[in-house]
Amino acid sequence: MSTTKDFETKQFPTWCPGCGNYGIWTALKNSLVEQGYKPHEVAVVFGIGCSGNMASFLNVYGFHGLHGRVIPVATAIKLCNHKLKVIAVSGDGDGYSIGLGHLIHAIRRNIDITYIVHNNQIYGLTKGQTSPTSEKGFTSKSTPFGSIEDPIDPIALAIDVGASFVARGFTGNIDHLTRLISAGIQHQGFSLIDVLQPCVTFNHLNTFHWFYDRIYELEKTKYQPNDKSVAWLKAREWPTDELIDESAKTKIPIGLFYKDDKETYWNQLSQLKDQALVDQPINDIDISELMKKLS
Ligand code: SF4
């Protein structure tokens, strides 16, 4: 039986005190322990950003990749060894900007990985620029007069392009987030877990208190995550106009928005169905004809 200590390295996190990243790190470790995983049974791919620094603090098979390229690496690992539990960790600046195209194609293919996105609505590592999920009107070093762009809604987008598991968590509710991560890991197929994660140093709008005032759990309502149209409308419950009207306090749902059962990618490949690629005796494959063609 593993413990959370087994999933920690000797290096203590260097995130700013109070950063929302700590809650995600804790929830992920809790989830892996509760499900009985051992560190060598899990591969986690990290991108660039404060979220990616978790690569140094989580004791698993880890890969700290290029900016925005978390999903291609996670996909390759899964297809090479689908017995491994593969998790991808990214941030809103990493995953919803340069990495957005990969998200859509992984959803389309239903690659069996869990994608946890630290969504703090700002670029934290580069000291506070407007990100793809920053509110319209948001002021930062890159938009001193307020952003004129509409933010991406990752939940609505994922539902729209056919994701089979779409959830939103909040790092201020670790028990709830742990349950969501566990459900995402157990899901057979692509699971997106967008996590609202305040950047206490650079985002002074979307703070812990801002979220505590607005968040509610879907599981405590009569909501059922099995209707795509209803899920999309639920995803659009977001305080888009509050920079203009501070008193609006539109509520923000967290929890599982949508779940569907679809065939996973590797399960549809006859070459992989019965045996993981890493276990196949590739030395027995005759490639001489292929080599002749290439020479
Ligand atoms: Fe966390 Fe923001 Fe500090 Fe990065 S800059 S560690 S996101 S508080």
Side-chain angles (χ1 to χ4, degrees):
M1 179 85 183
S2 55
T3 68
T4 52
K5 280 271 166 238
D6 295 323
F7 286 95
E8 292 172 11
T9 63
K10 291 192 177 132
Q11 196 173 344
F12 192 75
T14 48
W15 293 311
C16 306
C19 172
N21 284 329
Y22 289 96
I24 304 175
W25 180 58
T26 303
L28 179 54
K29 287 182 293 174
N30 288 349
S31 168
L32 293 172
V33 168
E34 282 174 21
Q35 293 180 85
Y37 283 106
K38 297 190 175 66
H40 72 274
E41 296 168 329
V42 183
V44 185
V45 182
F46 303 89
I48 302 301
C50 293
S51 59
N53 290 351
M54 197 195 288
S56 304
F57 321 135
L58 198 69
N59 181 36
V60 287
Y61 284 124
F63 188 101
H64 199 172
L66 296 174
H67 197 220
R69 308 303 171 206
V70 171
I71 287 180
V73 177
T75 299
I77 294 172
K78 190 69 190 179
L79 292 185
C80 287
N81 187 0
H82 59 253
K83 290 179 299 184
L84 266 182
K85 186 46 68 181
V86 181
I87 298 166
V89 171
S90 186
D92 48 305
D94 188 46
Y96 297 150
S97 184
I98 189 171
L100 186 65
H102 298 303
L103 171 63
I104 293 168
H105 292 293
I107 287 174
R108 192 168 71 77
R109 295 173 181 137
N110 204 26
I111 305 286
D112 187 16
I113 58 178
T114 299
Y115 191 34
I116 301 171
V117 183
H118 299 218
N119 184 357
N120 55 22
Q121 299 164 270
I122 201 161
Y123 285 89
L125 192 70
T126 48
K127 303 197 183 305
Q129 294 82 22
T130 293
S131 89
T133 52
S134 302
E135 308 293 340
K136 191 167 188 177
F138 185 75
T139 53
S140 72
K141 286 169 187 154
S142 61
T143 56
F145 303 108
S147 171
I148 56 172
E149 298 174 2
D150 286 325
I152 282 174
D153 178 342
I155 302 292
L157 176 75
I159 294 167
D160 207 26
V161 295
S164 56
F165 184 106
V166 186
R168 179 193 286 139
F170 173 48
T171 186
N173 188 340
I174 291 176
D175 286 347
H176 181 264
L177 181 57
T178 302
R179 288 196 295 277
L180 277 186
I181 292 175
S182 295
I185 287 174
Q186 286 157 22
H187 176 68
Q188 298 290 308
F190 187 87
S191 49
L192 170 68
I193 304 170
D194 179 76
V195 187
L196 302 173
Q197 174 254 309
C199 168
V200 294
T201 303
F202 295 112
N203 188 337
H204 303 298
L205 172 68
N206 311 106
T207 62
F208 275 99
H209 285 297
W210 190 87
F211 284 116
Y212 281 129
D213 278 352
R214 291 163 176 82
I215 274 172
Y216 73 96
E217 292 176 34
L218 286 172
E219 294 79 6
K220 292 184 177 168
T221 69
K222 291 187 177 153
Y223 182 79
Q224 293 296 320
N226 53 11
D227 184 313
K228 206 177 247 195
S229 309
V230 175
W232 193 90
L233 287 173
K234 185 54 77 178
R236 299 304 295 156
E237 269 182 38
W238 185 269
T240 47
D241 55 359
E242 287 202 10
L243 285 171
I244 303 159
D245 180 6
E246 242 305 299
S247 65
K249 292 217 169 137
T250 309
K251 294 292 178 194
I252 299 174
I254 58 170
L256 180 58
F257 284 75
Y258 185 70
K259 184 174 181 315
D260 194 2
D261 289 322
K262 295 203 254 188
E263 281 277 27
T264 62
Y265 191 80
W266 68 263
N267 208 26
Q268 297 176 72
L269 292 171
S270 57
Q271 305 93 316
L272 300 182
K273 215 168 175 176
D274 300 323
Q275 202 172 22
L277 195 58
V278 288
D279 293 331
Q280 296 188 23
I282 53 172
N283 287 344
D284 296 347
I285 300 171
D286 181 5
I287 58 166
S288 52
E289 283 305 310
L290 177 66
M291 293 308 285
K292 266 188 226 162
K293 276 188 199 164
L294 295 175
S295 61

